[in-house]
Amino acid sequence: MRAGPSVSRPTLLAGWLFADLLLGLTIIMLGAQAPPEPPKAPAGPEAGGATTTPAPSPSPCATRVAGVKAKPVKVTFRVSPGADGNALNAQVKKELLAYRNRLTGRHAGMVLTFGAGSGPGEGARLATRVNKAARKAYPSVFGAAATRNFHDLSAPGGTISMEIYFVSDGCAPATGKS
């Protein structure tokens, strides 16, 4: 014996059909919106506005080429996982100093840091602390870098492996043709 009203299967499916149609219409509405208008240039002094700055001189570059290099610089060293903040900062600064010829004058765009600890949480926390220490020790290299922290299961405790993806910046020269 059944208790409660009986609802047919097509009636149940009608609700899902309505939800799918509503989702489809929402996507269409979002895609059909016009892009925002570009900002208007400020009025010059002749129109009662502020004075304008002179236009920059043309660049010899046809286009600026910038991005993050595909091949990382790999750095590996050991730290004391139980060290306090100041001691860890000093250890990281000293260890990264050994790699100064590969770091000087460059800017990291992305850094993947793998820390080894007694457990997965410990390794990731150690990697987080090392990234903060690297930013403090070498702000010109690591200051604006995006970082991701991971645990390294295969390394002994206190081992840090960093994959540093540097920002590349260059110039595609203009050709003589217009």
Side-chain angles (χ1 to χ4, degrees):
M1 176 186 319
R2 283 190 182 178
S6 169
V7 179
S8 67
R9 189 168 185 84
T11 305
L12 292 175
L13 292 177
W16 284 107
L17 179 63
F18 178 74
D20 288 344
L21 287 173
L22 186 60
L23 177 63
L25 286 173
T26 303
I27 291 171
I28 291 169
M29 293 287 288
L30 290 173
Q33 290 181 354
E37 292 183 29
K40 295 180 181 176
E46 62 280 349
T51 59
T52 59
T53 57
S57 61
S59 171
C61 299
T63 57
R64 295 298 298 171
V65 180
V68 177
K69 292 187 178 183
K71 187 175 181 185
V73 170
K74 295 182 179 182
V75 173
T76 302
F77 55 91
R78 302 265 322 240
V79 295
S80 300
D84 69 350
N86 291 333
L88 184 68
N89 289 348
Q91 288 177 10
V92 170
K93 186 172 186 172
K94 179 184 172 213
E95 293 296 335
L96 288 176
L97 190 61
Y99 297 96
R100 71 178 168 267
N101 61 337
R102 296 166 71 188
L103 302 175
T104 303
R106 300 172 87 181
H107 304 285
M110 182 173 63
V111 180
L112 304 180
T113 306
F114 300 84
S118 58
E122 293 300 317
R125 277 190 285 280
L126 180 60
T128 301
R129 292 179 64 214
V130 167
N131 280 330
K132 287 180 184 175
R135 270 198 176 101
K136 191 171 188 176
Y138 298 100
S140 63
V141 177
F142 297 103
T147 59
R148 290 291 309 256
N149 309 308
F150 301 96
H151 177 73
D152 188 351
L153 293 170
S154 64
T159 302
I160 298 295
S161 299
M162 298 174 89
E163 293 181 6
I164 307 166
Y165 293 85
F166 288 103
V167 174
S168 63
D169 189 23
C171 175
T175 60
K177 301 174 187 174
S178 296

